Amino acid sequence: METIERTRPAVRFNDAQIEMAHGAGGKASRRLVEGLFLPLLANPILQALSDSALTSVNGVTLATTADGYVVKPLRFPGGSIGELAVNGTINDLAVSGARPLGLMAAFILEAGFAGETLREEVEAMASAARRAGVAIVGGDTKVVEHGFADGMYVATFGFGTVDPRVRLAAERVVEGDRVLLSGPIGDHGITILLARGDLDLEASLVSDTRPLTPFAEALIERAGSALHWMRDPTRGGVATALNELVRGRDFGVTLYEESIPMRNEVRGACEILGLDPLHIANEGQLIAVVSGEAADGALAAMRAIDGGENAACIGEVRATPPGSVLAVTSYGGSRVIDMLVGDPLPRIC
Amino acid sequence: METIERTRPAVRFNDAQIEMAHGAGGKASRRLVEGLFLPLLANPILQALSDSALTSVNGVTLATTADGYVVKPLRFPGGSIGELAVNGTINDLAVSGARPLGLMAAFILEAGFAGETLREEVEAMASAARRAGVAIVGGDTKVVEHGFADGMYVATFGFGTVDPRVRLAAERVVEGDRVLLSGPIGDHGITILLARGDLDLEASLVSDTRPLTPFAEALIERAGSALHWMRDPTRGGVATALNELVRGRDFGVTLYEESIPMRNEVRGACEILGLDPLHIANEGQLIAVVSGEAADGALAAMRAIDGGENAACIGEVRATPPGSVLAVTSYGGSRVIDMLVGDPLPRIC
């Protein structure tokens, strides 16, 4: 789900037409969300929006999230659109500190789409939902004429209840907090790029799509209220997620460039293509900001999870430069890390 | 949202490819839902599915619903895709006896779509949400390349809490119950058909899109537990909604053909086109099944609502023929009313 920060400069949407970049999760998406959706739909829950919207229901906090999926190709090494739709929605709930209670799916299918491919994707959704211990409780199907979609699109909606032990908010982040990351970045984005076959590159890379509930639960269990903020850095990557955290705040994030886990295939592909791995989409990674005191324990808890062996502390919250993400190297070099601009990898999720 | 009945014969989905009819809400949709989604995603909530899925959360019953909107054209007399997306979702909650708490929207936009048209649709959504007293608390936007969508599609998700005074279920319907309808049928479907300009017909017809919450609330207030079942007869029309009610049950519905409210424009267009008005989609009508004793009061409550002046008692629940919908005329004629087959009016919502 798109993210909107509470403290933000006024943004206007005057774009004459929708471009691919409006769906990329970077600056154009921000213009669309903050310049159009937010002023027109103005309400306090949307205003405070994070990965999930929070609503109080009879004494519990209900988290709800909505996401569309248009990934191309539909199947790729390590996953498929159906799996992505389930995991992505579960992950938006997980990083909001919520235990998923149910999912719903709205399909938009193109006439002529193979019945067998639809069956495979519904099976992928069922299997991903089972793995995460959540049920798909309802849905809807619409069909458009051949040539008015690309096989299938799906929108997924998830709801769950927020763990009362945590309060996750950018406002809770303070100087000295540590930035933890669950594993290597860029696997999903580069896998999709290679699966399209537009590039003469080969790599044994698979998407990192997976449910993040085990990570979120372990962090809540271990760090409790010392856990200040979580986010799954999908479209726009780690760079965009952290920029959304610091924007308009009196603190910044300093990343230790060498400590960011990354596979050689991702590093290599990004070098060839001139992309920053920090802008590449992930589908199974979690960023957690925890207090300095709780950081070691929280990192150990993440590493103890199957698939969390490469979790790392990748940076810290510092008073300067406020509102910015900086990456430093052990050689003393530093560079400012901005949000994603444009859309280098369209239809990534 | 698609509806699935609890008692149903085994249905198989072996269709080689998706056709427009799979999205029309009739027999092909039923094959898709019951032959593919239901067995693969099997779980008790989905199994019991009505217009909304019901989940117990901390002592309250949460209703959730999901719907995709692909209506063509995007704007039509009386409404637009944005208004439809909000009202349709609110109505699925309303007929489940739920007070809407929040909505979310997932947009799938085509690159090149006019920014101004998007603004108009977001304004239409905001206005419809305000009218119904519900907030749009979150969303998501994806963009696909030009030629891979039709301007905009939107999926809407809604959640609310079920009024504890009612229990709405086909199991509660008994012989002697009355079938009430909130107003004239077919306005939406025929309006869309005419708006496409494929036919050399003109009529001063507008879509009936509107929130049904005032009707649902008045019925709950007036009839309480004598209110047994509600449904908004969208795709597939009144015929399909009532067939879903009676299928596999030990009762049937007999409709008094002449008492079904219908505008002359709808009657005329259907005659010319060879369509049954009972199969035409509505977007702002509600069918309520109430006990015989409560029927007069419930009807009066519906008629007292602005826009409910034409509400009528259109039929009754009889023991015979079980599992069927029959229409009778005052001249003694009768005909069996089946579910919609095929898709005479694609992309109606």
Side-chain angles (χ1 to χ4, degrees), chain A residues 192-210:
Chain A
I192 297 294
L193 185 73
L194 297 178
R196 288 191 193 144
D198 298 340
L199 287 172
D200 199 16
L201 277 177
E202 279 195 36
S204 58
L205 210 58
V206 297
S207 167
D208 61 355
T209 175
R210 59 175 172 175

Side-chain angles (χ1 to χ4, degrees), chain A residues 1-2 13-20 22-23 32-33 35-37 40-41 43 45-46 49 52-53 55-60 62 64-70 72 101 104-116 118-119 122-123 125-126 130 135-150 153-157 159 161 235 346-347 349, chain B residues 1-2 13-20 22-23 32-33 35-37 40-41 43 45-46 49 52-53 55-60 62 64-70 72 101 104-116 118-119 122-123 125-126 130 135-150 153-155 157-159 161 235 346-347 349:
Chain A
M1 204 171 77
E2 281 153 341
F13 178 81
N14 289 319
D15 305 21
Q17 61 174 31
I18 297 298
E19 313 283 357
M20 297 305 289
H22 289 109
L32 180 62
V33 172
L36 183 68
F37 293 131
L40 289 179
L41 305 175
N43 64 75
I45 300 174
L46 186 63
L49 198 62
S52 303
T55 309
S56 182
V57 175
N58 204 32
V60 297
L62 185 75
T64 53
T65 184
D67 280 286
Y69 292 87
V70 299
K72 182 181 192 166
L101 282 177
M104 310 192 93
F107 295 91
I108 295 173
L109 305 177
E110 183 186 10
F113 186 56
E116 195 47 39
L118 178 61
R119 181 186 299 277
V122 178
E123 279 169 358
M125 294 179 82
R130 264 195 306 274
I136 298 175
V137 297
D140 181 58
T141 307
K142 293 286 166 19
V143 181
V144 295
E145 303 88 339
H146 184 68
F148 287 101
D150 195 4
Y153 303 139
V154 61
T156 325
F157 169 64
F159 56 99
T161 47
R235 286 180 294 176
R347 293 182 57 188
C349 61
Chain B
M1 203 169 78
E2 281 152 342
F13 178 81
N14 290 318
D15 305 20
Q17 60 174 32
I18 296 299
E19 312 282 359
M20 296 306 288
H22 288 108
L32 180 63
V33 172
L36 183 67
F37 293 132
L40 289 178
L41 305 177
N43 64 75
I45 300 175
L46 186 62
L49 197 61
S52 302
T55 309
S56 180
V57 175
N58 204 33
V60 297
L62 185 75
T64 54
T65 185
D67 280 286
Y69 293 87
V70 299
K72 181 180 193 165
L101 282 177
M104 309 190 94
F107 295 90
I108 295 174
L109 305 177
E110 183 187 12
F113 186 58
E116 195 47 39
L118 178 62
R119 179 187 301 275
V122 178
E123 278 169 359
M125 295 179 81
R130 262 194 308 272
I136 298 175
V137 297
D140 181 58
T141 308
K142 292 285 164 21
V143 181
V144 295
E145 303 88 339
H146 185 67
F148 287 101
D150 196 3
Y153 303 139
V154 62
F157 306 99
F159 56 98
T161 48
R235 287 180 293 176
R347 295 183 55 189
C349 61

Side-chain angles (χ1 to χ4, degrees), chain A residues 233-299:
Chain A
T234 54
R235 286 180 294 176
V238 169
T240 301
L242 290 176
N243 268 284
E244 286 173 351
L245 169 64
V246 302
R247 189 154 53 95
R249 304 282 163 192
D250 58 0
F251 59 78
V253 161
T254 296
L255 295 176
Y256 323 132
E257 186 113 43
E258 289 101 340
S259 62
I260 300 169
M262 196 185 321
R263 296 185 207 280
N264 286 332
E265 292 90 335
V266 170
R267 194 186 310 274
C270 283
E271 272 173 17
I272 291 168
L273 296 163
L275 297 172
D276 187 336
L278 288 166
H279 284 144
I280 307 296
N282 312 280
E283 285 292 336
Q285 304 308 329
L286 177 150
I287 302 174
V289 175
V290 297
S291 74
E293 301 73 47
D296 287 347
L299 185 58

